[in-house]
PDB file of all heavy atoms in Angstrom:
ATOM      1  N   GLY A1134     108.687  33.272 -29.459  1.00  0.00           N
ATOM      2  CA  GLY A1134     108.428  32.683 -30.706  1.00  0.00           C
ATOM      3  C   GLY A1134     107.052  31.975 -30.802  1.00  0.00           C
ATOM      4  O   GLY A1134     106.752  31.395 -31.834  1.00  0.00           O
ATOM      5  N   GLY A1135     106.325  31.883 -29.766  1.00  0.00           N
ATOM      6  CA  GLY A1135     105.025  31.309 -29.842  1.00  0.00           C
ATOM      7  C   GLY A1135     104.027  32.032 -30.592  1.00  0.00           C
ATOM      8  O   GLY A1135     104.255  33.284 -30.847  1.00  0.00           O
ATOM      9  N   GLY A1136     102.938  31.395 -31.005  1.00  0.00           N
ATOM     10  CA  GLY A1136     101.920  32.117 -31.832  1.00  0.00           C
ATOM     11  C   GLY A1136     100.873  31.109 -32.357  1.00  0.00           C
ATOM     12  O   GLY A1136     100.897  29.927 -31.868  1.00  0.00           O
ATOM     13  N   SER A1137     100.041  31.540 -33.219  1.00  0.00           N
ATOM     14  CA  SER A1137      98.982  30.620 -33.788  1.00  0.00           C
ATOM     15  C   SER A1137      99.335  30.362 -35.269  1.00  0.00           C
ATOM     16  O   SER A1137      99.704  31.191 -36.055  1.00  0.00           O
ATOM     17  CB  SER A1137      97.740  31.491 -33.810  1.00  0.00           C
ATOM     18  OG  SER A1137      97.288  31.636 -32.449  1.00  0.00           O
ATOM     19  N   VAL A1138      99.223  28.975 -35.538  1.00  0.00           N
ATOM     20  CA  VAL A1138      99.389  28.573 -36.955  1.00  0.00           C
ATOM     21  C   VAL A1138      98.391  27.496 -37.296  1.00  0.00           C
ATOM     22  O   VAL A1138      97.721  26.967 -36.511  1.00  0.00           O
ATOM     23  CB  VAL A1138     100.879  27.960 -37.108  1.00  0.00           C
ATOM     24  CG1 VAL A1138     101.971  28.963 -36.839  1.00  0.00           C
ATOM     25  CG2 VAL A1138     101.003  26.778 -36.171  1.00  0.00           C
ATOM     26  N   GLN A1139      98.272  27.308 -38.631  1.00  0.00           N
ATOM     27  CA  GLN A1139      97.426  26.269 -39.116  1.00  0.00           C
ATOM     28  C   GLN A1139      98.089  24.876 -39.107  1.00  0.00           C
ATOM     29  O   GLN A1139      99.296  24.862 -39.158  1.00  0.00           O
ATOM     30  CB  GLN A1139      96.941  26.553 -40.564  1.00  0.00           C
ATOM     31  CG  GLN A1139      96.007  27.891 -40.604  1.00  0.00           C
ATOM     32  CD  GLN A1139      95.493  28.074 -41.941  1.00  0.00           C
ATOM     33  OE1 GLN A1139      96.125  27.574 -42.955  1.00  0.00           O
ATOM     34  NE2 GLN A1139      94.419  28.655 -42.117  1.00  0.00           N
ATOM     35  N   ALA A1140      97.343  23.847 -38.916  1.00  0.00           N
ATOM     36  CA  ALA A1140      97.816  22.482 -39.029  1.00  0.00           C
ATOM     37  C   ALA A1140      98.622  22.269 -40.249  1.00  0.00           C
ATOM     38  O   ALA A1140      98.237  22.690 -41.334  1.00  0.00           O
ATOM     39  CB  ALA A1140      96.727  21.440 -38.927  1.00  0.00           C
ATOM     40  N   GLY A1141      99.765  21.631 -40.057  1.00  0.00           N
ATOM     41  CA  GLY A1141     100.663  21.332 -41.174  1.00  0.00           C
ATOM     42  C   GLY A1141     101.719  22.481 -41.307  1.00  0.00           C
ATOM     43  O   GLY A1141     102.745  22.219 -42.108  1.00  0.00           O
ATOM     44  N   GLY A1142     101.650  23.452 -40.590  1.00  0.00           N
ATOM     45  CA  GLY A1142     102.550  24.623 -40.705  1.00  0.00           C
ATOM     46  C   GLY A1142     103.786  24.414 -39.769  1.00  0.00           C
ATOM     47  O   GLY A1142     103.842  23.350 -39.132  1.00  0.00           O
ATOM     48  N   SER A1143     104.678  25.367 -39.736  1.00  0.00           N
ATOM     49  CA  SER A1143     105.889  25.291 -38.928  1.00  0.00           C
ATOM     50  C   SER A1143     105.949  26.521 -38.056  1.00  0.00           C
ATOM     51  O   SER A1143     105.492  27.611 -38.388  1.00  0.00           O
ATOM     52  CB  SER A1143     107.073  25.200 -39.802  1.00  0.00           C
ATOM     53  OG  SER A1143     107.084  23.990 -40.604  1.00  0.00           O
ATOM     54  N   LEU A1144     106.795  26.365 -37.008  1.00  0.00           N
ATOM     55  CA  LEU A1144     107.057  27.511 -36.100  1.00  0.00           C
ATOM     56  C   LEU A1144     108.339  27.171 -35.412  1.00  0.00           C
ATOM     57  O   LEU A1144     108.649  26.024 -35.039  1.00  0.00           O
ATOM     58  CB  LEU A1144     105.865  27.550 -35.070  1.00  0.00           C
ATOM     59  CG  LEU A1144     105.766  28.861 -34.221  1.00  0.00           C
ATOM     60  CD1 LEU A1144     105.345  30.029 -35.234  1.00  0.00           C
ATOM     61  CD2 LEU A1144     104.668  28.714 -33.185  1.00  0.00           C
ATOM     62  N   ARG A1145     109.103  28.181 -35.123  1.00  0.00           N
ATOM     63  CA  ARG A1145     110.340  28.040 -34.400  1.00  0.00           C
ATOM     64  C   ARG A1145     110.346  28.828 -33.117  1.00  0.00           C
ATOM     65  O   ARG A1145     110.133  30.124 -33.143  1.00  0.00           O
ATOM     66  CB  ARG A1145     111.593  28.546 -35.294  1.00  0.00           C
ATOM     67  CG  ARG A1145     112.921  28.172 -34.582  1.00  0.00           C
ATOM     68  CD  ARG A1145     114.131  28.509 -35.392  1.00  0.00           C
ATOM     69  NE  ARG A1145     114.353  29.909 -35.499  1.00  0.00           N
ATOM     70  CZ  ARG A1145     115.471  30.438 -35.941  1.00  0.00           C
ATOM     71  NH1 ARG A1145     116.339  29.678 -36.408  1.00  0.00           N
ATOM     72  NH2 ARG A1145     115.599  31.756 -35.880  1.00  0.00           N
ATOM     73  N   LEU A1146     110.544  28.110 -32.009  1.00  0.00           N
ATOM     74  CA  LEU A1146     110.670  28.701 -30.679  1.00  0.00           C
ATOM     75  C   LEU A1146     112.213  28.989 -30.304  1.00  0.00           C
ATOM     76  O   LEU A1146     113.012  28.208 -30.783  1.00  0.00           O
ATOM     77  CB  LEU A1146     110.068  27.929 -29.656  1.00  0.00           C
ATOM     78  CG  LEU A1146     108.564  27.369 -29.809  1.00  0.00           C
ATOM     79  CD1 LEU A1146     108.102  26.572 -28.602  1.00  0.00           C
ATOM     80  CD2 LEU A1146     107.645  28.573 -29.987  1.00  0.00           C
ATOM     81  N   SER A1147     112.427  30.044 -29.600  1.00  0.00           N
ATOM     82  CA  SER A1147     113.748  30.344 -29.224  1.00  0.00           C
ATOM     83  C   SER A1147     113.778  30.454 -27.592  1.00  0.00           C
ATOM     84  O   SER A1147     112.808  30.878 -27.028  1.00  0.00           O
ATOM     85  CB  SER A1147     114.261  31.596 -29.753  1.00  0.00           C
ATOM     86  OG  SER A1147     114.307  31.597 -31.175  1.00  0.00           O
ATOM     87  N   CYS A1148     114.902  30.102 -27.116  1.00  0.00           N
ATOM     88  CA  CYS A1148     115.107  30.212 -25.663  1.00  0.00           C
ATOM     89  C   CYS A1148     116.447  30.853 -25.362  1.00  0.00           C
ATOM     90  O   CYS A1148     117.425  30.286 -25.775  1.00  0.00           O
ATOM     91  CB  CYS A1148     114.914  28.773 -25.024  1.00  0.00           C
ATOM     92  SG  CYS A1148     115.321  28.713 -23.183  1.00  0.00           S
ATOM     93  N   GLN A1149     116.468  31.783 -24.534  1.00  0.00           N
ATOM     94  CA  GLN A1149     117.742  32.422 -24.187  1.00  0.00           C
ATOM     95  C   GLN A1149     118.062  32.214 -22.702  1.00  0.00           C
ATOM     96  O   GLN A1149     117.160  32.445 -21.817  1.00  0.00           O
ATOM     97  CB  GLN A1149     117.792  33.953 -24.466  1.00  0.00           C
ATOM     98  CG  GLN A1149     119.082  34.600 -24.254  1.00  0.00           C
ATOM     99  CD  GLN A1149     119.240  35.936 -24.888  1.00  0.00           C
ATOM    100  OE1 GLN A1149     118.405  36.712 -24.935  1.00  0.00           O
ATOM    101  NE2 GLN A1149     120.426  36.124 -25.558  1.00  0.00           N
ATOM    102  N   ALA A1150     119.224  31.705 -22.416  1.00  0.00           N
ATOM    103  CA  ALA A1150     119.639  31.449 -21.011  1.00  0.00           C
ATOM    104  C   ALA A1150     120.760  32.458 -20.695  1.00  0.00           C
ATOM    105  O   ALA A1150     121.708  32.643 -21.546  1.00  0.00           O
ATOM    106  CB  ALA A1150     120.135  30.033 -20.868  1.00  0.00           C
ATOM    107  N   SER A1151     120.688  33.091 -19.549  1.00  0.00           N
ATOM    108  CA  SER A1151     121.629  33.967 -19.147  1.00  0.00           C
ATOM    109  C   SER A1151     122.057  33.781 -17.601  1.00  0.00           C
ATOM    110  O   SER A1151     121.301  33.061 -16.854  1.00  0.00           O
ATOM    111  CB  SER A1151     121.196  35.414 -19.210  1.00  0.00           C
ATOM    112  OG  SER A1151     120.031  35.657 -18.470  1.00  0.00           O
ATOM    113  N   GLY A1152     123.162  34.293 -17.189  1.00  0.00           N
ATOM    114  CA  GLY A1152     123.608  34.254 -15.781  1.00  0.00           C
ATOM    115  C   GLY A1152     124.802  33.395 -15.541  1.00  0.00           C
ATOM    116  O   GLY A1152     125.518  33.501 -14.556  1.00  0.00           O
ATOM    117  N   ARG A1153     125.162  32.529 -16.533  1.00  0.00           N
ATOM    118  CA  ARG A1153     126.430  31.691 -16.457  1.00  0.00           C
ATOM    119  C   ARG A1153     126.663  31.230 -17.877  1.00  0.00           C
ATOM    120  O   ARG A1153     125.898  31.390 -18.773  1.00  0.00           O
ATOM    121  CB  ARG A1153     126.306  30.566 -15.502  1.00  0.00           C
ATOM    122  CG  ARG A1153     125.254  29.483 -15.818  1.00  0.00           C
ATOM    123  CD  ARG A1153     125.430  28.304 -14.999  1.00  0.00           C
ATOM    124  NE  ARG A1153     126.652  27.654 -15.253  1.00  0.00           N
ATOM    125  CZ  ARG A1153     127.629  27.313 -14.342  1.00  0.00           C
ATOM    126  NH1 ARG A1153     127.402  27.751 -13.050  1.00  0.00           N
ATOM    127  NH2 ARG A1153     128.699  26.733 -14.749  1.00  0.00           N
ATOM    128  N   SER A1154     127.755  30.533 -18.086  1.00  0.00           N
ATOM    129  CA  SER A1154     128.211  30.041 -19.425  1.00  0.00           C
ATOM    130  C   SER A1154     127.098  29.080 -19.964  1.00  0.00           C
ATOM    131  O   SER A1154     126.721  28.107 -19.387  1.00  0.00           O
ATOM    132  CB  SER A1154     129.457  29.302 -19.214  1.00  0.00           C
ATOM    133  OG  SER A1154     129.933  28.836 -20.560  1.00  0.00           O
ATOM    134  N   PHE A1155     126.674  29.528 -21.088  1.00  0.00           N
ATOM    135  CA  PHE A1155     125.620  28.664 -21.736  1.00  0.00           C
ATOM    136  C   PHE A1155     126.037  27.224 -22.156  1.00  0.00           C
ATOM    137  O   PHE A1155     125.254  26.270 -22.143  1.00  0.00           O
ATOM    138  CB  PHE A1155     125.225  29.422 -23.076  1.00  0.00           C
ATOM    139  CG  PHE A1155     124.100  28.795 -23.871  1.00  0.00           C
ATOM    140  CD1 PHE A1155     122.825  28.640 -23.301  1.00  0.00           C
ATOM    141  CD2 PHE A1155     124.268  28.237 -25.172  1.00  0.00           C
ATOM    142  CE1 PHE A1155     121.721  27.979 -23.960  1.00  0.00           C
ATOM    143  CE2 PHE A1155     123.251  27.669 -25.890  1.00  0.00           C
ATOM    144  CZ  PHE A1155     122.030  27.539 -25.348  1.00  0.00           C
ATOM    145  N   SER A1156     127.364  27.043 -22.368  1.00  0.00           N
ATOM    146  CA  SER A1156     127.980  25.839 -22.729  1.00  0.00           C
ATOM    147  C   SER A1156     128.020  24.834 -21.595  1.00  0.00           C
ATOM    148  O   SER A1156     128.203  23.577 -21.762  1.00  0.00           O
ATOM    149  CB  SER A1156     129.454  25.979 -23.252  1.00  0.00           C
ATOM    150  OG  SER A1156     130.206  26.549 -22.275  1.00  0.00           O
ATOM    151  N   THR A1157     127.723  25.241 -20.389  1.00  0.00           N
ATOM    152  CA  THR A1157     127.689  24.283 -19.171  1.00  0.00           C
ATOM    153  C   THR A1157     126.270  23.822 -18.920  1.00  0.00           C
ATOM    154  O   THR A1157     126.065  23.000 -17.999  1.00  0.00           O
ATOM    155  CB  THR A1157     128.198  24.896 -18.035  1.00  0.00           C
ATOM    156  OG1 THR A1157     127.461  26.055 -17.549  1.00  0.00           O
ATOM    157  CG2 THR A1157     129.594  25.479 -18.231  1.00  0.00           C
ATOM    158  N   LEU A1158     125.260  24.174 -19.741  1.00  0.00           N
ATOM    159  CA  LEU A1158     123.962  23.920 -19.489  1.00  0.00           C
ATOM    160  C   LEU A1158     123.350  22.847 -20.323  1.00  0.00           C
ATOM    161  O   LEU A1158     123.545  22.947 -21.619  1.00  0.00           O
ATOM    162  CB  LEU A1158     122.943  25.173 -19.517  1.00  0.00           C
ATOM    163  CG  LEU A1158     123.198  26.317 -18.552  1.00  0.00           C
ATOM    164  CD1 LEU A1158     122.459  27.498 -18.988  1.00  0.00           C
ATOM    165  CD2 LEU A1158     122.884  25.787 -17.133  1.00  0.00           C
ATOM    166  N   ALA A1159     122.629  21.782 -19.793  1.00  0.00           N
ATOM    167  CA  ALA A1159     121.883  20.956 -20.583  1.00  0.00           C
ATOM    168  C   ALA A1159     120.460  21.689 -20.718  1.00  0.00           C
ATOM    169  O   ALA A1159     119.986  22.304 -19.769  1.00  0.00           O
ATOM    170  CB  ALA A1159     121.668  19.592 -20.014  1.00  0.00           C
ATOM    171  N   MET A1160     119.829  21.604 -21.916  1.00  0.00           N
ATOM    172  CA  MET A1160     118.612  22.399 -22.160  1.00  0.00           C
ATOM    173  C   MET A1160     117.488  21.504 -22.625  1.00  0.00           C
ATOM    174  O   MET A1160     117.806  20.557 -23.307  1.00  0.00           O
ATOM    175  CB  MET A1160     118.863  23.475 -23.231  1.00  0.00           C
ATOM    176  CG  MET A1160     120.027  24.473 -22.936  1.00  0.00           C
ATOM    177  SD  MET A1160     119.760  25.485 -21.527  1.00  0.00           S
ATOM    178  CE  MET A1160     118.392  26.523 -22.183  1.00  0.00           C
ATOM    179  N   ALA A1161     116.270  21.804 -22.298  1.00  0.00           N
ATOM    180  CA  ALA A1161     115.199  21.014 -22.753  1.00  0.00           C
ATOM    181  C   ALA A1161     113.901  21.844 -23.081  1.00  0.00           C
ATOM    182  O   ALA A1161     113.932  23.073 -22.518  1.00  0.00           O
ATOM    183  CB  ALA A1161     114.800  20.010 -21.591  1.00  0.00           C
TER     184      ALA A1161
END
């Protein structure tokens, strides 16, 4: 989701975790 934007704009990053239950992970 990274990219280039102008000041004042918005952007949404996404992160996918795999390998075990997602509900057991704290994320940052």
Side-chain angles (χ1 to χ4, degrees):
S1137 298
V1138 298
Q1139 293 184 335
S1143 298
L1144 196 65
R1145 188 177 75 168
L1146 305 182
S1147 298
C1148 174
Q1149 184 161 42
S1151 61
R1153 65 168 295 122
S1154 178
F1155 185 64
S1156 64
T1157 65
L1158 297 169
M1160 306 290 294

